Amino acid sequence: MSLNRALLTGAAGHLGRELRQRLAGRFPILRLSDLAEMAPAGPGEEVVRCDLSDAAAVTELCRGVDAILHFGGRSNEDDWDTILSANIVGAVNLWEAARQAGVKRIVFASSNHVIGLYRRDTRIDHRAPAAPDSRYGLSKAFGEDLAALHAYKHGIKALCIRIGSSFAEPADARQLSTWMSFADLVRMIDVGLEADYVFEIVYGVSDNSASWWDNSNAARLGYRPADSADRFSATLAGKKTEDRLTERTQGGVFASHEFDGDPDALP
Ligand code: NAI
Ligand code: 15L
């Protein structure tokens, strides 16, 4: 579809910096935004510093935008005030501003921590009820529901990518299941921008044979991962923690942190 101006939030972050390079030239104008400082605008770029929790600033940020890649916010567990402001108020402001600006699509960097309390031996697809493992995971579940509200009620299409672990290389045994290469992340973003859908949830993973997730919904939408964590299995298979709960849950340390429930009650 023809998109003149796309907005990338979280552009100063780990994935934002990677996407900035990989998406260069993909749109006539790429507007880059973050709370933190970013490198100056290059050709075809606009750089706008903005706190997502500032509604008026976010309204300005979204003006003239056709599509949004929403990667900004707190990317790990934190206290309620931080999560509420960056991920919940921030997302509400973004979708509301997108509605006012007539944005057509939003690709949302959701997270595997929406379902992080599932056990690793439970195979789930995109329809499994949320089982957030943290305040952070719960904020991403909220973001998915917010995206659904605006997709079905206001016509802003949304692809929610429950990203596993997107780093240059997988780092441990868990990431043999959850790893997504940067190139596959870009492939999934392309699905989000091009495919015919209204609201969808997919898992952001490469073609890992150890994956816990049935990602047939992503395949149905046209996602064809080209990378796999399998080539790292010989070196990483033994790289586990000593903690049984961490190793039992899909969310790993996000799930075991502050856990005082019943491990046998996990879905
Ligand atoms: P990151 O922490 O490096 O980047 C997030 C960016 O958001 C930072 O540059 C930060 O300054 C910005 N930010 C935080 N609060 C903000 C606010 N109130 N207003 C404006 N900007 C704000 O995280 P990373 O790894 O780049 O992740 C990007 C997105 O992808 C995040 O939403 C994260 O939750 C999601 N994700 C990442 C995964 C990964 O493996 N890297 C896995 C699952 C989800
Ligand atoms: C996430 O949601 C985080 O943003 C990222 O830093 C990793 O911790 C990733 O999940 C993961 O589960 O490996």
Side-chain angles (χ1 to χ4, degrees):
M1 75 182 290
S2 147
L3 300 168
N4 181 42
R5 182 184 280 106
L7 165 67
L8 172 65
T9 67
H14 156 71
L15 292 180
R17 290 192 310 271
E18 199 59 44
L19 291 174
R20 180 178 185 173
Q21 286 182 21
R22 290 173 183 263
L23 295 173
R26 170 77 171 72
F27 314 96
I29 305 167
L30 179 58
R31 182 174 289 172
L32 302 152
S33 182
D34 204 292
L35 187 59
E37 198 172 340
M38 293 154 283
E45 290 182 342
E46 297 171 344
V47 169
V48 182
R49 272 183 87 171
C50 174
D51 184 342
L52 290 164
S53 66
D54 178 342
V58 177
T59 301
E60 275 308 306
L61 179 68
C62 291
R63 225 180 274 284
V65 166
D66 303 305
I68 301 175
L69 310 177
H70 182 39
F71 281 70
R74 183 69 187 124
S75 60
N76 273 295
E77 180 61 318
D78 216 320
D79 56 73
W80 268 121
D81 284 351
T82 305
I83 295 288
L84 184 65
S85 154
N87 291 12
I88 296 187
V89 174
V92 168
N93 289 342
L94 188 90
W95 261 272
E96 175 57 22
R99 191 176 68 77
Q100 288 178 32
V103 169
K104 299 177 187 77
R105 291 188 185 225
I106 300 183
V107 176
F108 173 48
S110 182
S111 171
N112 71 89
H113 297 290
V114 168
I115 44 79
L117 280 183
Y118 280 94
R119 296 160 53 127
R120 294 185 186 182
D121 55 12
T122 305
R123 189 167 170 80
I124 55 172
D125 69 11
H126 61 290
R127 292 168 298 200
D133 59 16
S134 50
R135 292 175 287 279
Y136 165 69
L138 179 59
S139 74
K140 293 292 186 178
F142 174 83
E144 292 183 357
D145 283 351
L146 183 71
L149 170 71
H150 286 78
Y152 294 124
K153 192 162 180 176
H154 304 300
I156 306 176
K157 294 178 174 27
L159 183 72
C160 300
I161 309 174
R162 287 181 181 166
I163 302 171
S165 309
S166 191
F167 299 98
E169 291 189 351
D172 55 22
R174 173 177 175 271
Q175 292 186 10
L176 292 172
S177 302
T178 59
W179 185 63
M180 179 180 227
S181 71
F182 297 139
D184 281 343
L185 176 60
V186 172
R187 288 185 184 94
M188 189 70 95
I189 287 172
D190 278 335
V191 169
L193 294 172
E194 301 291 340
D196 183 16
Y197 66 88
V198 176
F199 169 81
E200 295 293 343
I201 292 171
V202 292
Y203 289 95
V205 272
S206 286
D207 185 21
N208 311 329
S209 20
S211 174
W212 308 306
W213 305 316
D214 170 353
N215 211 12
S216 48
N217 197 38
R220 182 183 67 78
L221 290 166
Y223 174 58
R224 301 286 177 269
D227 295 315
S228 167
D230 293 9
R231 67 193 160 95
F232 300 94
S233 55
T235 43
L236 294 179
K239 202 170 169 196
K240 298 181 179 177
T241 68
E242 300 290 316
D243 184 64
R244 276 190 65 225
L245 188 62
T246 300
E247 297 303 324
R248 191 180 198 179
T249 49
Q250 298 191 0
V253 289
F254 285 68
S256 56
H257 176 65
E258 301 175 341
F259 188 97
D260 52 11
D262 176 2
D264 293 326
L266 293 177

